[in-house]
Every structure is written in C-alpha cells, then in structure tokens.
Amino acid sequence: MGYPPLMREGAPLIGVIGGSGLYKLDNLHVIKTISASTPWGSPSSPITIAKLDTAKGPITVAFISRHGPAHNIAPSNVPARANIAALKHLGVKAIVAFSAVGSLREEVRPGDIIVPDQIIDRTKGIRPSTFFDGAMVGHAMFGEPFDKQLSEFIVPHIESAINSFPDHINPSDVPRLHKERTLVVMEGPQFSTRAESNMYRSFGGDIINMSSIPEAKLAREAELSYALVCTSTDYDAWRMGEAPVTVEEVMKTLTTNASLSKHITASILEAVHEAVASQSVLTTAEGSMKYSLMTNHSHVSPSELYKLKYILPAYFPYDAPRWKGEHVNTEDHDDSTASEKV
Ligand SMILES: CSC[C@H]1O[C@H](OP(=O)(O)O)[C@H](O)[C@@H]1O
Ligand SMILES: Nc1ncnc2[nH]cnc12
C-alpha cells in the first residue's frame, strides 16, 4: 500500500515553475489540472498539465504558479516543499523555473535573460527549507545549487528561442543571454536598501530575487534536476542618481517579457524532454541523496518514513503506517476528463 499516483499515465517528465508575471502557459494546450495535496500541504496552485505537439508526438509539461495565479502568496510564504514534492510525486524529473530578478550589474540590462550557476543565500531562516526536519537527518550537496548539466543544456536552446521570438519590443536590441552568474536570494518582501544592494555587489552577486531559496535546495533533496531562467526587470537600488526599484518598474518589464518566457518554455521543451527521457545529459540529480541520509531508519517513526516515501520512494519503500491516529494527507485528484484551455 502506498500513495496513489497523481496521474495514472502520461505523467510529464518536465515541470515548469512560473514566477512573477508568468502565471499560466496559455501558449500551450492545457489538458488537465490536478489539485494535489502532499504531506507538506498544498502547492501554490493547481498543477496544470499542458501539451505541446511535436514532430515526434505530443509531450506534456506540469506547470505551477509560484505565487498562485492571483499572485497572493508572498515570497516568504511560498509552499516550496509542497510544490517540489507534488512535482516529484507526479513523475517530474527536471524543473525549469522562471524568476524575475533585479540586476546588480550594468551589463545585465532590464529585459535580459540570465541562467545563473551560483546562489548566495540571504534568506533569514524563516522559510521551511528542508524535507529532513524530522528524525531523519539528511545533508544534500549544494556546492552547485543548480543542475549544471541541465543549465548548460538549456542555454543554447534559450539563445535560439530569444532569436526566434517574433515580438521583441526593439528588434534591433534583443535581450542578451547571460550565464555563469551569481544570484543573491534575499528575504523580502521589501526591496533592498542602497547599502545592501552595494554590499551584494561587493559579495560578487550579479542578480537578486526573493524566491529561489528554498526552491533549489528542496529540488536537490528530492533528486530533481533544477535550472533557473531569470528575467532581469530592474537595476535594484545600487545605481546612484537613479531611483531604487519599484514594483511598477518590475511589472512593466514583466508584462512585456511574459510572452518571451512562454516562448522560451515552448521552444526548449522538446529538447529538454528528449534529453531527460533518453537520460543523455541529465544524470546527476538521481541518486545524489543516496549517501546524504544519516539516520538509521530504526530510529525514525513509521509516519516520518512514510512521509519521505512521497518524494524518495527508492530510499523509503515503506507501507503506510496504519495504527490509530496516523494520517498522511494525500488524495488522488486525477480527473482525466478535465480538459480546458486557460
Ligand atoms: C514582483 S517583484 C519581487 C518578486 O518578484 C520575483 O518573484 P519570482 O522570483 O517568483 O519571479 C522576486 O523573487 C520576488 O518574489
Ligand atoms: N530588485 C529586486 N530585488 C529582489 N527581487 C526582485 N525581483 C525583481 N526585482 C527584484
């Protein structure tokens, strides 16, 4: 006896997490929505399963809106554990997440796209940031916070997508693509002071957001390949003589850039799907937790072990604990008849 699958067949291998401004993938055909309930609560939004028709047949993708479709979840309150757990339990193997970021560098202009390779964590410990906070102790490797193979794999495909995007605001000045950059993740929700913004620059930060911790950490713990595609929306607060960032400024760029993010998603999906399905490049995440788990299972309660089965069934192959009072909150919401275009 175990958790019922969230989808009985055709589960997507790729998950997309949309950030500010990217609340749905309405350039793809949504075939169903799933209201998942995980041992860590409900995700930020129903998971939409969208279809892309390719020459080799249709492929599917699972989409979650990080702040909810109405953007009513603040960055510190995003149920990141539920989001990652639901995608993993669904059968997703790789996540491409999107984020709106401030730029800490002159050459990273608003509108540019960045695939970062490092993170400086400036969150303040108020977000649940591990699946291993019960009796099972685990220490995930995080020296490379993004999946290197996945990030490097998507860069040329994003480059082509930018070049093939038909609706650039200024066709003679298309967004640049930056890689190997360092992302600062701050707590928020307020933006940084000028002094903080300059401090992050002196740390070596190139871009800044409020979202990617703990998302990236949790993806690693759940053995998911995770890469981040950032849209620069502003110059944060470090530029003297210029007003510090405001939401108005962020949203102006985001509104014009949401369609580029959707185009990037649709353009890279087939290649990422093929790479994941054939395991040709994405091999590092799976198995990465094997030697990271410290605690002998005999010291962990059956309910805790069963909870962890939801994300890592290979290491926690246990049946549901059945004695009185034990309850694991999961439901099957697979509604194969639901078909809608949102
Ligand atoms: C709307 S400005 C600040 C907000 O935007 C970014 O969100 P996301 O990463 O989900 O695109 C940033 O991280 C903040 O949460
Ligand atoms: N300047 C900024 N600081 C933090 N998060 C952001 N998201 C977009 N712009 C940002």
Side-chain angles (χ1 to χ4, degrees):
M1 183 182 158
Y3 295 103
L6 286 172
M7 264 179 93
R8 296 201 189 285
E9 54 192 43
L13 293 178
I14 314 299
V16 171
I17 300 179
S20 299
L22 185 58
Y23 304 111
K24 53 188 177 181
L25 290 180
D26 51 2
N27 55 335
L28 305 183
H29 181 68
V30 174
I31 52 176
K32 94 164 61 172
T33 63
I34 300 171
S35 298
S37 174
T38 80
W40 295 274
S42 296
S44 304
S45 73
I47 306 175
T48 49
I49 309 296
K51 187 176 73 152
L52 177 74
D53 288 314
T54 73
K56 292 183 186 159
I59 55 176
T60 53
V61 60
F63 178 82
I64 288 180
S65 166
R66 184 182 291 122
H67 303 282
H71 204 130
N72 56 353
I73 305 174
S76 309
N77 299 333
V78 169
R81 291 193 297 189
N83 292 350
I84 296 297
L87 290 175
K88 177 68 195 280
H89 191 61
L90 185 59
V92 159
K93 299 214 175 294
I95 294 178
V96 179
F98 284 81
S99 173
V101 300
S103 169
L104 300 171
R105 301 288 159 194
E106 193 68 49
E107 72 277 11
V108 180
R109 302 168 306 177
D112 283 0
I113 303 292
I114 310 97
V115 178
D117 69 345
Q118 277 299 324
I119 292 180
I120 295 173
D121 181 2
R122 290 280 303 169
T123 61
K124 299 201 169 154
I126 62 172
R127 308 173 182 198
S129 59
T130 178
F131 290 111
F132 301 105
D133 58 351
M136 172 58 67
V137 175
H139 300 285
M141 288 180 294
F142 205 56
E144 297 288 354
F146 300 105
D147 189 300
K148 232 173 144 49
Q149 284 184 318
L150 180 60
S151 299
E152 285 171 8
F153 182 79
I154 62 176
V155 161
H157 294 284
I158 294 176
E159 187 111 58
S160 312
I162 294 172
N163 291 329
S164 68
F165 185 58
D167 301 322
H168 289 299
I169 314 296
N170 182 355
S172 63
D173 191 16
V174 302
R176 290 182 202 156
L177 177 59
H178 308 265
K179 55 182 185 166
E180 293 162 14
R181 295 287 181 153
T182 296
L183 168 71
V184 176
V185 185
M186 58 172 291
E187 190 57 57
Q190 300 84 357
F191 291 114
S192 308
T193 64
R194 287 192 190 279
E196 287 163 341
S197 195
N198 275 307
M199 178 180 71
Y200 299 142
R201 278 162 55 77
S202 76
F203 284 180
D206 297 305
I207 50 177
I208 181 163
N209 78 3
M210 304 175 190
S211 304
S212 302
I213 298 287
E215 201 172 89
K217 288 184 172 175
L218 295 165
R220 179 61 50 79
E221 287 188 345
E223 294 193 338
L224 288 167
S225 299
Y226 177 93
L228 187 69
V229 181
C230 304
T231 297
S232 162
T233 54
D234 54 87
Y235 276 117
D236 201 40
W238 57 272
R239 271 176 144 200
M240 293 315 290
E242 299 225 355
V245 55
T246 63
V247 162
E248 192 187 359
E249 188 186 0
V250 171
M251 292 319 288
K252 212 167 111 197
T253 314
L254 277 185
T255 310
T256 52
N257 265 49
S259 50
L260 176 57
S261 298
K262 290 174 191 172
H263 175 73
I264 288 174
T265 304
S267 308
I268 69 173
L269 207 53
E270 185 177 0
V272 177
H273 183 272
E274 214 170 289
V276 174
S278 66
Q279 297 198 324
S280 60
V281 292
L282 309 175
T283 51
T284 45
E286 237 170 64
S288 66
M289 291 301 291
K290 191 169 178 186
Y291 301 108
S292 302
L293 303 170
M294 305 293 291
T295 317
N296 189 300
H297 292 200
S298 61
H299 293 267
V300 183
S301 74
S303 63
E304 184 64 20
L305 291 172
Y306 186 61
K307 207 171 158 184
L308 292 168
K309 179 181 191 173
Y310 195 85
I311 50 161
L312 293 169
Y315 308 136
F316 301 97
Y318 299 106
D319 282 346
R322 281 173 163 246
W323 64 87
K324 199 168 168 262
E326 287 292 354
H327 173 67
V328 179
N329 187 19
T330 184
E331 292 165 29
D332 184 4
H333 286 278
D334 186 357
D335 174 5
S336 329
T337 57
S339 177
E340 56 171 328
K341 186 143 167 96
V342 292

